[in-house]
Amino acid sequence: MSAPSQSGGATITDRRQLIEYFENACKPPSRWRLGTEHEKFVFDRDTLRALPYEGERGIHTFLEKLQRFGWQPMTENGNLVALELGRCHITLEPGGQLELAGAPLDSVHETCDEIHVHLKQVKEVAAELNVGLLGLGFQPKWARADVPWMPKQRYDIMKAYMPKVGTLGLDMMLRTSTVQVNIDYGSEADMIQKFRVGLALQPVATALFANSPFTEGKPNGFVSYRSQIWTDTDNDRSGMLDWVFDDDMGFERYIEYALDVPMYFVYRDGRYIDASGQSFRDFMAGKLPALPGELPTLSDWDDHLTTLFPEVRLKRFMEMRGADGGPWRRLCALPALWAGLCYDSEALDAAWQLCRDFSAEERNRLRREAPIHGLKTPFRDGTLQDVAREVVAIAQGGLERRARLDSQDRDERMYLDQLAEIAETGVTPAETLLDLYAGRWNESVDPVFTEFAY
């Protein structure tokens, strides 16, 4: 969850400004970048519990110690809640999950270097505090009530609103962890094609990265429980957006959708004003109950767009949102996958040919079943594994043609090796964890905190 925009920017007086918001974000391919965001759980090595905010070994202390590396503090109501360095941010999710929102970078090599440097820094601080960091899609051991809340106003608003619109929203906030990649678009038509490919193939990414098979110490019946949680969080703002495949899809159609998603808040003068359940359409008419008579700014629009949670999200870039958090190499694999599919025209066309005849029913069934069955999800005459093999092969070809080389003249295909193996074997990371649980771990999840910590 991103930091808020400062209230400001042009006042919105015409719908045309909302269209221009997206049109002005179009970039030529030479300026396309990758931005990777990843979260991880921070836990006490002695008790395995999530860290509280306060205390000598709390999240506040963790953030303070990270400032030795040049990170600058960001506060809210006097609480240290985020750090910034250049175009990177370290932010807190509601349950203390630590997120790196990376800079827009030219290649997966640069992204992987950024992740490596970040993990080196947080591991150094973690060692001093005797805490650990875990990349997993869902908190494997502790109940919702065991996870402390972080002191951020927007989370207070969401905490009160979530139970009104779903049963699992608080679990999404407190107990999930993800990796996502942000990609650019060159035109409205390019955005539409990437959006459609992203939605249709997001269940493939969910299966390849599935890494959340435990709840409160036991198998939960899913390979990606994180993905399952989004099906009952808030269906007004999440899901597969079937209308993206209609003929009228474009910037204006997405604006219509976004205007109909209930608001959470308005950010003014360093504080959040509760506007939960209210309408951005009313805001544009000066009729928002939370701020009667006021018109929104483009910063308010930007903030509102961050509160939409579909499997692919459109802002001034596009977010691919279907993957569980995981270890370092798989954090690099997600930007590699989507750069390979979306940043080479031949690959993007091949990906679209692969999925263009998926029906809405098929897309939604894959979305429902991939969190349960992973790559074994039945699909047509085979399984999702068959699709995944093709998807990874298309991405490999795209990365080869992109030809972004590192200092040893290797292209970005190297970051897909893990995914290629998962696609070939059909064994998701979650199933590997389940085998360990049933075997060497003697039906305990505790070893995951040591064997799979960063």
Side-chain angles (χ1 to χ4, degrees):
M1 299 179 186
S2 306
S5 305
Q6 294 299 317
S7 56
T11 299
I12 300 172
T13 57
D14 188 323
R15 283 174 60 94
R16 179 67 204 165
Q17 290 168 272
L18 304 184
I19 297 172
E20 290 172 352
Y21 171 93
F22 293 117
E23 288 178 342
N24 293 340
C26 295
K27 299 179 178 69
S30 62
R31 291 179 54 208
W32 289 352
R33 299 293 183 264
L34 297 163
T36 306
E37 302 179 25
H38 64 91
E39 303 159 1
K40 50 260 175 214
F41 299 107
V42 190
F43 63 91
D44 185 313
R45 285 191 181 276
D46 293 331
T47 65
L48 307 184
R49 288 183 175 274
L51 295 194
Y53 179 77
E54 300 288 359
E56 291 182 5
R57 298 168 64 200
I59 291 290
H60 179 273
T61 302
F62 201 110
L63 293 177
E64 278 191 324
K65 286 179 173 290
L66 282 172
Q67 293 177 55
R68 75 178 64 151
F69 300 109
W71 293 93
Q72 298 301 305
M74 301 175 71
T75 60
E76 180 182 298
N77 288 344
N79 292 314
L80 177 60
V81 294
L83 303 169
E84 62 181 339
L85 180 61
R87 299 188 70 180
C88 288
H89 291 85
I90 294 174
T91 59
L92 293 181
E93 293 299 292
Q97 306 96 311
L98 203 66
E99 175 180 324
L100 176 71
L105 299 170
D106 181 62
S107 73
V108 186
H109 303 302
E110 293 177 13
T111 292
C112 215
D113 287 345
E114 175 189 71
I115 293 168
H116 181 69
V117 169
H118 169 71
L119 291 179
K120 184 173 184 292
Q121 292 175 358
V122 295
K123 284 168 64 178
E124 180 178 313
V125 170
E128 293 172 16
L129 296 177
N130 194 33
V131 303
L133 301 132
L134 180 66
L136 215 65
F138 190 77
Q139 162 57 253
K141 184 175 176 68
W142 300 106
R144 185 194 294 174
D146 296 319
V147 181
W149 285 87
M150 297 297 107
K152 295 178 71 171
Q153 295 172 61
R154 94 181 252 176
Y155 296 157
D156 291 338
I157 294 169
M158 293 171 67
K159 178 182 180 180
Y161 183 72
M162 284 291 187
K164 301 175 183 177
V165 290
T167 66
L168 299 175
L170 298 182
D171 288 311
M172 179 279 291
M173 295 178 71
L174 291 170
R175 296 201 285 175
T176 63
S177 182
T178 187
V179 53
Q180 66 183 52
V181 62
N182 306 325
I183 62 172
D184 289 315
Y185 47 88
S187 64
E188 185 173 42
D190 183 52
M191 178 277 294
I192 293 168
Q193 188 174 19
K194 286 172 177 171
F195 212 134
R196 289 171 174 169
V197 166
L199 279 177
L201 298 182
Q202 208 64 221
V204 174
T206 296
L208 288 169
F209 287 83
N211 195 34
S212 46
F214 303 120
T215 300
E216 295 172 30
K218 302 291 183 185
N220 53 33
F222 296 87
V223 292
S224 177
Y225 189 55
R226 181 209 60 84
S227 183
Q228 173 65 17
I229 277 173
W230 279 109
T231 66
D232 193 12
T233 288
D234 181 349
N235 289 330
D236 287 336
R237 67 185 73 243
S238 57
M240 289 291 279
L241 310 186
D242 292 339
W243 48 263
V244 167
F245 297 85
D246 294 345
D247 290 343
D248 66 348
M249 173 56 184
F251 293 138
E252 191 152 7
R253 183 67 185 84
Y254 194 84
I255 289 165
E256 285 296 309
Y257 158 70
L259 289 173
D260 286 332
V261 175
M263 295 176 65
Y264 279 154
F265 58 79
V266 182
Y267 189 69
R268 286 288 182 275
D269 301 321
R271 67 188 185 95
Y272 290 85
I273 297 167
D274 189 344
S276 55
Q278 297 175 29
S279 164
F280 207 94
R281 289 185 192 275
D282 288 347
F283 201 3
M284 289 181 64
K287 298 176 180 177
L288 189 72
L291 285 173
E294 275 205 43
L295 293 175
T297 67
L298 285 174
S299 293
D300 295 325
W301 176 242
D302 192 68
D303 286 342
H304 180 56
L305 292 178
T306 70
T307 71
L308 280 55
F309 304 127
E311 292 294 284
V312 176
R313 177 161 68 184
L314 178 64
K315 297 197 290 189
R316 294 178 65 81
F317 45 83
M318 305 178 71
E319 301 177 359
M320 301 298 174
R321 297 173 46 82
D324 286 359
W328 175 56
R329 278 292 177 187
R330 281 208 301 280
L331 299 180
C332 303
L334 190 75
L337 177 69
W338 290 110
L341 294 174
C342 294
Y343 277 3
D344 172 77
S345 60
E346 184 179 330
L348 185 59
D349 287 343
W352 177 231
Q353 289 304 316
L354 176 64
C355 64
R356 68 181 302 167
D357 70 338
F358 290 9
S359 67
E361 191 279 328
E362 285 177 323
R363 291 192 302 269
N364 283 288
R365 182 163 49 80
L366 288 177
R367 170 67 185 88
R368 289 191 305 271
E369 295 186 4
I372 304 170
H373 305 296
L375 293 170
K376 297 178 178 63
T377 301
F379 184 68
R380 296 184 175 176
D381 295 328
T383 65
L384 191 56
Q385 181 183 2
D386 302 318
V387 183
R389 284 197 195 101
E390 289 191 66
V391 167
V392 172
I394 292 169
Q396 287 171 325
L399 294 178
E400 183 177 18
R401 286 184 293 274
R402 246 171 73 84
R404 298 291 198 277
L405 304 181
D406 68 5
S407 58
Q408 299 176 54
D409 290 332
R410 297 174 298 183
D411 66 33
E412 298 162 307
R413 283 176 295 171
M414 58 192 280
Y415 302 110
L416 290 180
D417 288 349
Q418 268 201 19
L419 297 191
E421 182 179 351
I422 293 166
E424 192 55 41
T425 63
V427 179
T428 64
E431 289 163 300
T432 299
L433 292 174
L434 288 167
D435 286 345
L436 287 165
Y437 173 87
R440 182 161 55 81
W441 291 356
N442 295 316
E443 299 191 351
S444 169
V445 299
D446 290 4
V448 78
F449 290 92
T450 50
E451 295 187 28
F452 284 84
Y454 288 113

